[in-house]
Amino acid sequence: MTILKSILTITLASAFCQIVNFTEAHAQSVDSTSDLTYRPIYHFTPPQNWTNDPNGLVYYGDKYHIFYQYNPEGDTWGHMSWGHATSTDMMKWEHEPIALQDYQNGDGTSTMFFSGTAVVDKNNTSGLSKTDGEIPLVAIYTAHIDSAGTGISQSQSMAYSLDGKQFTRYDHNPLINLKTTDFRDPKVFWREESQQWIMIVALPLDFRLQFYSSPDLKSWTLLSEFGDKLGDKSKIWECPDIFELPVENEAGVSKWVITLSGGHPQQNGNLGMQYVIGNFDGKTFTADPLPYPLYLDNGKDFYAGIIFNNLPESDTRKIMIGWENSWEYAATTPSKGFRGQMAAPRELTLYKDEKGEYRIKSFPIREVNNYRGNLLAKQSSVAVTGSKLLNSVSGNALDIEFIIKRSSAEQAGIKLLKHGNYETLVYYNKIDNTLKIDRTKSGNVSFSAKFPSIESVPLPDDGGDIAIRILVDNNSVEVFANSGKQVLTDLVFPVSEKVTYELFSTEVATTFKDLNVWEMKPSMQ
Ligand code: FRU
């Protein structure tokens, strides 16, 4: 407890402090939910215990690998280790043995494995493989060393595997040590032009990101720093990533994008992900002048996302997985047998908007569609005044799409996971031209004062149709509007599995077009 306390107060203070405050609130759950586990069926969850960030997303040895912040000893944060699972489609995951487990050092300190990256060292630049044809999978992580008396240190270290399962710690760790308490979450990629590894890593409390380069993953040189002057600083900055994306509606143009975790459009203590668009010349990142901060997702439960490294050459997608939760209440969510999950994998794309400004879209990867089962509802056009029950639709794992034709109705949308007066609303709100998710009456909201909430994302003011896709999975609602230009991700904890769905339009009629609702098949055992 002393160790945990010092971590909470010193190192990750602003991110973690709410954990303690809400432990008490956890006691007051809604009775009727006592038999619900809230385990989603097509979103990644650990077999048991706690998870937060995804780590080391990589394709290696004909498989996708997810590593993830994992507590082998319980369902709250602690003993941070890297859990591991593999997949052939980023949806159906097989659990593997823990890849990197926290340990005690001889001097009374302990080391935890904080977030990081995994790279495939195809040319064996590290020399870690001694056998021809054996390619090292290298995990570069933050070693979080905790000593009860002398405090905390965070430095960048590595471990490697030659079979994609068993990892050995490099014997000359740390790789980069600034002798500081908050220095974490390295993301590394291979830069072909300069034949170098590039690392982006965060100094969370300073709102600064650093770039380093290395020929061999072992010796690292500081290249430059970024940050400080732009973006949302309402929360510390963690888990940066950097990658290049072609602009989909501007032939021949591509831009570099930095994503990072920290800050939220509501800025009142919430957490989310921001991005910056610009250029990276191999040494320095220069941001384009855009109206920052820009956010990836306006919901409350999308954090610590990173993209996959080393996808097969024929796959040029940038695919992100994020932790579907918030430090504001993560420790007290009422799931049973596990705590924490990943949002559905999303493809990030870049486009130029109607004002000529670059923006990111994020949309579920096409592999999600393979888990569509029975088509429960299909309607090319339906006019709704008041509420209309979708009587062929039930169940709590669905993929829903429809188009809202904007009318003079003040609000038009869908009621999800409805049981009695409990419901989660997703709707267009004419008055402020936003798309909203309202989970204030979604079910069990009492475990944290921060949980019942309404999130909004601004819509284009052209009055055009709004194309909605919603992934519902038990405790998870992910809303993608207009191919992922507007995104809202929120956890919910309904009171019953017996639920219904209704379209609604207040006072006057709204037409919903191209409604399709699929039942989703399980991808996780
Ligand atoms: C982000 C984070 C990271 C850190 C990890 C610890 O959620 O705070 O910065 O490495 O979680 O579990």
Side-chain angles (χ1 to χ4, degrees):
M1 191 57 201
T2 332
I3 297 171
L4 181 61
K5 217 170 184 179
S6 63
I7 291 161
L8 291 173
T9 48
I10 301 169
T11 306
L12 301 170
S14 54
F16 292 160
C17 62
Q18 304 294 343
I19 292 171
V20 172
N21 301 348
F22 297 130
T23 337
E24 251 175 53
H26 186 37
Q28 352 154 340
S29 317
V30 176
D31 283 348
S32 54
T33 60
S34 55
D35 54 343
L36 300 177
T37 65
Y38 295 114
R39 200 188 271 276
I41 64 164
Y42 66 97
H43 284 72
F44 179 85
T45 50
Q48 66 275 316
N49 296 341
W50 164 274
T51 189
N52 53 286
D53 316 354
N55 298 148
L57 302 178
V58 71
Y59 187 79
Y60 172 81
D62 299 332
K63 279 188 177 159
Y64 301 93
H65 294 250
I66 184 170
F67 299 90
Y68 54 93
Q69 288 287 281
Y70 183 57
N71 181 356
E73 300 193 18
D75 66 0
T76 51
W77 188 90
H79 294 278
M80 295 326 293
S81 302
W82 280 28
H84 184 201
T86 51
S87 171
T88 53
D89 67 356
M90 292 173 276
M91 289 292 292
K92 189 177 176 71
W93 293 98
E94 254 178 56
H95 294 296
E96 304 280 356
I98 292 172
L100 298 164
Q101 181 139 16
D102 73 315
Y103 57 94
Q104 296 295 318
N105 301 301
D107 59 1
T109 64
S110 65
T111 299
M112 293 201 267
F113 291 84
F114 271 25
S115 288
T117 191
V119 296
V120 178
D121 186 10
K122 284 181 189 150
N123 303 325
N124 196 25
T125 60
S126 60
L128 291 167
S129 166
K130 307 291 174 216
T131 314
D132 263 5
E134 221 175 35
I135 299 174
L137 174 63
V138 183
I140 299 143
Y141 58 89
T142 298
H144 175 99
I145 301 174
D146 192 356
S147 66
T150 57
I152 276 160
S153 95
Q154 295 185 346
S155 55
Q156 314 321 318
S157 287
M158 73 174 170
Y160 63 99
S161 169
L162 298 168
D163 65 0
K165 281 183 192 287
Q166 303 238 334
F167 282 80
T168 308
R169 288 199 307 277
Y170 175 56
D171 48 16
H172 298 295
N173 282 332
L175 308 171
I176 311 173
N177 187 0
L178 304 183
K179 302 206 161 58
T180 180
T181 54
D182 287 83
F183 175 45
R184 61 179 177 272
D185 308 336
K187 178 70 199 266
V188 176
F189 69 96
W190 175 251
R191 185 167 182 271
E192 199 60 41
E193 296 91 309
S194 52
Q195 296 286 296
Q196 275 176 332
W197 298 101
I198 304 286
M199 177 193 293
I200 185 170
V201 58
L203 289 159
L205 308 184
D206 305 337
F207 309 103
R208 277 193 291 149
L209 308 175
Q210 292 189 320
F211 290 102
Y212 291 83
S213 72
S214 169
D216 56 5
L217 295 169
K218 294 173 174 168
S219 62
W220 292 89
T221 309
L222 180 66
L223 295 173
S224 63
E225 289 195 351
F226 177 79
D228 197 14
K229 301 217 165 34
L230 57 84
D232 177 341
K233 295 180 197 152
S234 60
K235 283 283 182 182
I236 55 169
W237 286 9
E238 309 180 302
C239 302
D241 204 340
I242 179 168
F243 44 89
E244 194 177 11
L245 273 178
V247 182
E248 70 175 17
N249 52 353
E250 203 173 34
V253 181
S254 65
K255 305 294 296 178
W256 284 82
V257 178
I258 290 179
T259 57
L260 64 97
S261 293
H264 185 275
Q266 290 173 5
Q267 296 202 341
N268 52 354
N270 297 306
L271 289 150
M273 287 193 69
Q274 311 179 44
Y275 65 91
V276 182
I277 297 175
N279 184 46
F280 180 66
D281 62 6
K283 205 170 171 230
T284 311
F285 183 90
T286 317
D288 283 2
L290 287 170
Y292 300 110
L294 297 171
Y295 301 97
L296 270 186
D297 188 316
N298 283 38
K300 278 203 178 162
D301 296 305
F302 191 79
Y303 197 72
I306 51 168
I307 61 153
F308 273 90
N309 273 339
N310 195 49
L311 288 188
E313 243 163 63
S314 57
D315 192 348
T316 55
R317 294 177 296 173
K318 301 294 179 210
I319 297 176
M320 176 175 272
I321 294 186
W323 178 41
E324 194 176 354
N325 216 326
S326 171
W327 283 116
E328 294 285 279
Y329 39 73
T332 58
T333 55
S335 55
K336 291 199 190 71
F338 77 103
R339 191 176 274 126
Q341 66 200 57
M342 302 305 161
R346 297 168 184 189
E347 180 179 357
L348 304 188
T349 48
L350 191 59
Y351 70 103
K352 207 171 200 176
D353 70 9
E354 50 294 337
K355 293 189 194 125
E357 291 179 350
Y358 297 118
R359 290 288 188 281
I360 296 268
K361 281 190 294 187
S362 50
F363 203 64
I365 56 170
R366 57 175 176 261
E367 287 82 347
V368 172
N369 304 7
N370 298 338
Y371 291 86
R372 287 173 172 169
N374 296 330
L375 186 60
L376 301 179
K378 183 172 180 66
Q379 259 173 305
S380 57
S381 182
V382 51
V384 175
T385 312
S387 284
K388 183 181 168 27
L389 175 73
L390 296 172
N391 46 27
S392 55
V393 179
S394 61
N396 53 11
L398 302 177
D399 187 347
I400 302 171
E401 28 171 74
F402 56 82
I403 293 169
I404 301 176
K405 305 284 294 177
R406 291 195 226 200
S407 69
S408 52
E410 281 188 4
Q411 297 178 347
I414 189 164
K415 299 177 179 178
L416 306 167
L417 297 162
K418 194 170 166 49
H419 180 90
N421 292 329
Y422 293 105
E423 61 195 14
T424 299
L425 306 179
V426 174
Y427 63 95
Y428 162 60
N429 193 51
K430 196 173 185 70
I431 296 159
D432 59 2
N433 195 33
T434 57
L435 185 70
K436 294 191 192 294
I437 181 164
D438 177 347
R439 64 176 178 189
T440 53
K441 292 187 288 236
S442 54
N444 185 349
V445 296
S446 62
F447 56 89
S448 159
K450 292 280 168 73
F451 190 78
S453 63
I454 303 174
E455 280 72 58
S456 308
V457 60
L459 286 164
D461 47 23
D462 58 6
D465 296 353
I466 310 160
I468 304 280
R469 168 131 183 232
I470 306 174
L471 297 178
V472 177
D473 190 4
N474 207 322
N475 68 340
S476 162
V477 177
E478 295 171 275
V479 183
F480 304 89
N482 301 317
S483 315
K485 290 180 178 166
Q486 295 88 28
V487 185
L488 294 162
T489 301
D490 266 10
L491 292 175
V492 290
F493 297 94
V495 295
S496 170
E497 282 177 339
K498 290 192 195 74
V499 287
T500 57
Y501 293 80
E502 286 177 12
L503 295 174
F504 74 96
S505 171
T506 52
E507 287 156 25
V508 293
T510 296
T511 301
F512 295 81
K513 298 202 65 142
D514 298 338
L515 171 78
N516 289 301
V517 182
W518 290 269
E519 194 170 53
M520 288 297 279
K521 296 183 285 191
S523 70
M524 300 285 300
Q525 290 91 349

